[in-house]
Amino acid sequence: MTPASVSDYRELARRRLPKMFFEYIDGGSYAEVTLGRNVADIEALALRQRVMRDMSQLDMSIETLGQKLSMPLGLSPVGMAGMYGRRGEVQAARAAAAAGVPFCLSTVGVCSVEEVAASGTAPWFQLYMLKDRGYMAQLLARAKAAGCPVLVFTVDLPLPGSRYRDVRSGFTGSSGISGAMNTAWQGVTHPDWLWDVWLHGRPHSLGSVAGAVPKAGSVTDFLSWIARNFDRSVTWADLDWVRKTWDGPIVIKGILDPEDARDARSAGAQGLVVSNHGGRQLDGVRSSISALPAVVDAVGGDLEVYLDGGVRSGLDVLKALALGAKACFVGRAWAYALGAGGEKMVARMLGTLKSELATAMVLTGCHNARDADKSLLDAAL
């Protein structure tokens, strides 16, 4: 199949990846109500078609946090991407750099921050607040030394949400001989992945935290360490500690409530990501797109406000811009593409979104992405 949409990349990834890794990308928490809302609520928004407006000149570029992007889009942090394609984070970072958009590296990426930075363009770096502040300080120093321009501080994961699909697939809760047999069987039955990732994509560690778990024997060992180190006691005051180590822009990811957005501003953040962790944490909360307008109204003049969650096309990107987002970050879209065929597919997917965004801008009469506003939406629907 030649992919034409994000749903096509999803299907190709489903075919190529072992079930446990596909379900990890694709699933949400609990009954996946919020996961569904993220997509459905964007789909429910109607664009306002306009014609005969001389759309020969189109500018999709934006400037944010000192960087110029070719379009208002970035790649969200996705854990363990190196299990979807050989050295997957490096492949995705190269595709993002070629497209002129930022790539954000997850704390729990298979490739280390140094390895990704060495690929050509230093990534934005995503970090959780961990109990082990000493190791956190080391990570921040490494990210700074690698040239990472932005720190994305994820605050909506004081503990992992329960993801039923991961239990059913054997990704979590399966250990010992049965766990090893499950992993082996899933690998053997997906020979392309076995050759590309399992045999030639090693080491299968979490590169940025490998030093903290020197005796880990598998990716699940690293994930267990991370889960044990999430800090439930964290407050906005802890951002002062982060600032002592990190002097660049800080973006807070995981904001849904306007009051939390105002707290992020008071704590000294330069940006925030309206996000419910892709529907992977507290199920039953509102979608990212429905939370966006109130957050923008609360702090949009003072902070850069981005959207993450439910974006599956360039049309979705324009809808988010119309509601006040500076840019959108996509996670599953690039993870699907990476799982479907590596860097080439990630680059193709980014091209797909750019083409879709251009079409949406032309047919709504939006000459410049920076000028997108609510007038692009059909209020009658």
Side-chain angles (χ1 to χ4, degrees):
M1 176 175 65
T2 301
S5 67
V6 168
S7 62
D8 291 342
Y9 295 106
R10 177 185 180 275
E11 174 58 21
L12 290 173
R14 187 192 66 79
R15 297 177 189 178
R16 181 174 178 271
L17 296 177
K19 182 177 181 180
M20 59 177 10
F21 291 115
F22 175 76
E23 296 287 10
Y24 180 77
I25 296 171
D26 197 55
S29 62
Y30 302 94
E32 301 185 347
V33 172
T34 297
L35 173 62
R37 284 177 182 166
N38 277 347
V39 176
D41 287 355
I42 294 180
E43 289 179 344
L45 294 170
L47 292 168
R48 181 185 176 200
Q49 180 171 298
R50 304 300 302 277
V51 297
M52 304 294 283
R53 301 178 68 82
D54 184 6
M55 298 302 298
S56 55
Q57 300 296 318
L58 203 63
D59 187 356
M60 286 183 274
S61 67
I62 66 163
E63 292 188 15
T64 186
L65 300 180
Q67 294 183 272
K68 185 167 184 177
L69 314 186
S70 67
M71 56 180 164
L73 191 71
L75 303 191
S76 293
V78 173
M80 299 193 308
M83 299 307 295
Y84 320 144
R86 184 188 309 185
R87 313 313 292 167
E89 291 87 2
V90 169
Q91 293 197 62
R94 287 197 298 248
V101 299
F103 169 79
C104 186
L105 176 65
S106 171
T107 297
V108 291
V110 167
C111 299
S112 70
V113 62
E114 292 86 359
E115 182 179 353
V116 175
S119 69
T121 302
W124 292 21
F125 187 67
Q126 178 269 335
L127 188 62
Y128 300 107
M129 183 64 81
L130 303 176
K131 294 176 183 177
D132 189 339
R133 295 290 199 271
Y135 199 76
M136 268 192 72
Q138 291 181 38
L139 281 176
L140 289 168
R142 288 169 57 191
K144 183 176 179 180
C148 297
V150 176
L151 176 68
V152 177
F153 186 41
T154 298
V155 296
D156 61 354
L157 216 158
L159 78 170
S162 181
R163 300 164 191 168
Y164 297 157
R165 285 208 226 179
D166 290 347
V167 176
R168 294 169 184 142
S169 71
F171 185 81
T172 59
S174 180
S175 60
I177 294 176
S178 63
M181 290 180 65
N182 178 55
T183 302
W185 173 250
Q186 292 196 31
V188 168
T189 54
H190 294 81
D192 288 346
W193 176 87
L194 184 70
W195 177 264
D196 178 49
V197 178
W198 190 255
L199 295 178
H200 295 97
R202 294 176 180 274
H204 295 148
S205 62
L206 301 185
S208 294
V209 299
V213 201
K215 296 183 179 180
S218 67
V219 168
T220 53
D221 290 334
F222 286 100
L223 293 179
S224 296
W225 179 85
I226 287 286
R228 291 194 303 271
N229 268 274
F230 286 131
D231 191 348
R232 302 187 197 185
S233 71
V234 65
T235 69
W236 290 109
D238 290 287
L239 206 60
D240 293 336
W241 178 89
V242 175
R243 180 60 76 191
K244 291 177 182 177
T245 307
W246 182 267
D247 57 4
I250 295 177
V251 172
I252 305 297
K253 181 175 182 288
I255 299 295
L256 287 179
D257 192 281
E259 291 187 21
D260 287 339
R262 286 188 282 267
D263 286 340
R265 178 181 58 192
S266 298
Q270 283 68 52
L272 57 84
V273 183
V274 178
S275 171
N276 49 42
H277 217 94
R280 295 167 64 80
Q281 279 297 100
L282 180 59
D283 197 26
V285 298
R286 67 188 313 157
S287 65
S288 296
I289 195 73
S290 69
L292 176 63
V295 171
V296 170
D297 288 344
V299 300
D302 303 318
L303 283 75
E304 300 284 58
V305 178
Y306 311 111
L307 177 93
D308 172 277
V311 175
R312 299 292 187 269
S313 72
L315 282 69
D316 295 345
V317 173
L318 188 60
K319 292 176 181 180
L321 298 185
L323 290 179
K326 186 65 174 282
C328 291
F329 279 80
V330 296
R332 286 184 176 87
W334 78 259
Y336 292 146
L338 179 68
E343 179 181 347
K344 180 174 69 174
M345 285 295 192
V346 177
R348 183 185 177 100
M349 182 276 300
L350 287 169
T352 298
L353 295 186
K354 187 171 187 178
S355 177
E356 292 169 344
L357 176 59
T359 298
M361 290 175 65
V362 168
L363 289 174
T364 56
C366 179
H367 293 86
N368 192 317
R370 298 184 293 278
D371 296 332
D373 60 24
K374 291 182 180 178
S375 68
L376 300 180
L377 299 177
D378 191 336
L381 294 178

